[in-house]
Amino acid sequence: MQDDLRIALYQPDIAGNTGTILRLAACLGLGVDIIEPAGFDLSDRALKRAGMDYIEMAALTRHVDWAAFEEKRNADGRRLVLLSTRAATVYTRFIFEKGDTLLFGRESAGVPDHVHESADARLLIPMKNGARSLNVAVSAAMVAGEAIRQIG
């Protein structure tokens, strides 16, 4: 695995995006954490269609809620790196480390304040003025790619 780099999805809303991220992670050797409840059944057809046959290859861990995820993350000593439109640090100016967990919020609402405050770092993908947000799977690919490049 890419030095145990992980992607975490906070209560994802869209099965197709989650499937795409699972496929990305399987191909790049990254782990994925899904923090429930998800906005869809994890056996959803759209999830399987987007992930194709890579879902079985993905190192997926499901967490019943935020508290369970945090308990596991803290026990493992992982740094939590949140991607947020409310952040100030651009992701390409951040120094990623082995073992980082890249956290992405819900497509519809991001993450609540208590999750935002729990992050060790908050990063921004800069966008053109007037643009609201990127697709979460695109964001995950961009940031995971930069983290992998840095970690080597």
Side-chain angles (χ1 to χ4, degrees):
M1 295 189 76
Q2 296 284 349
D3 294 309
D4 294 321
L5 187 67
R6 298 188 68 81
I7 295 173
L9 305 176
Y10 180 84
Q11 299 181 356
D13 292 324
I14 301 173
N17 287 339
T18 300
T20 299
I21 291 168
L22 286 169
R23 182 176 181 176
L24 169 77
C27 290
L28 297 180
L30 309 177
V32 176
D33 295 284
I34 295 181
I35 303 159
E36 298 186 27
F40 55 88
D41 184 331
L42 287 175
S43 64
D44 187 286
R45 272 186 43 219
L47 174 76
K48 290 179 180 174
R49 184 172 50 250
M52 296 177 66
D53 55 345
Y54 292 91
I55 289 178
E56 289 77 30
M57 293 173 51
L60 172 63
T61 304
R62 293 168 62 177
H63 305 274
V64 67
D65 58 20
W66 174 252
F69 168 77
E70 276 291 82
E71 183 177 326
K72 175 70 171 141
R73 180 184 72 84
N74 286 319
D76 292 347
R78 292 183 169 279
R79 189 169 68 159
L80 186 64
V81 180
L82 172 66
L83 278 293
S84 172
T85 57
R86 301 182 338 193
T89 303
V90 175
Y91 80 103
T92 54
R93 294 192 182 123
F94 181 75
I95 298 172
F96 292 94
E97 297 176 0
K98 293 178 181 180
D100 279 348
T101 296
L102 310 175
L103 176 63
F104 298 86
R106 297 179 73 178
E107 292 92 340
S108 63
V111 299
D113 288 341
H114 74 278
V115 171
H116 203 276
E117 292 160 8
S118 296
D120 298 299
R122 292 157 207 81
L123 305 181
L124 174 73
I125 298 173
M127 294 180 288
K128 183 176 163 181
N129 284 340
R132 189 173 54 88
S133 66
L134 290 167
N135 175 282
V136 69
V138 170
S139 298
M142 290 173 66
V143 178
E146 175 62 15
I148 291 168
R149 184 192 71 76
Q150 286 187 24
I151 293 168

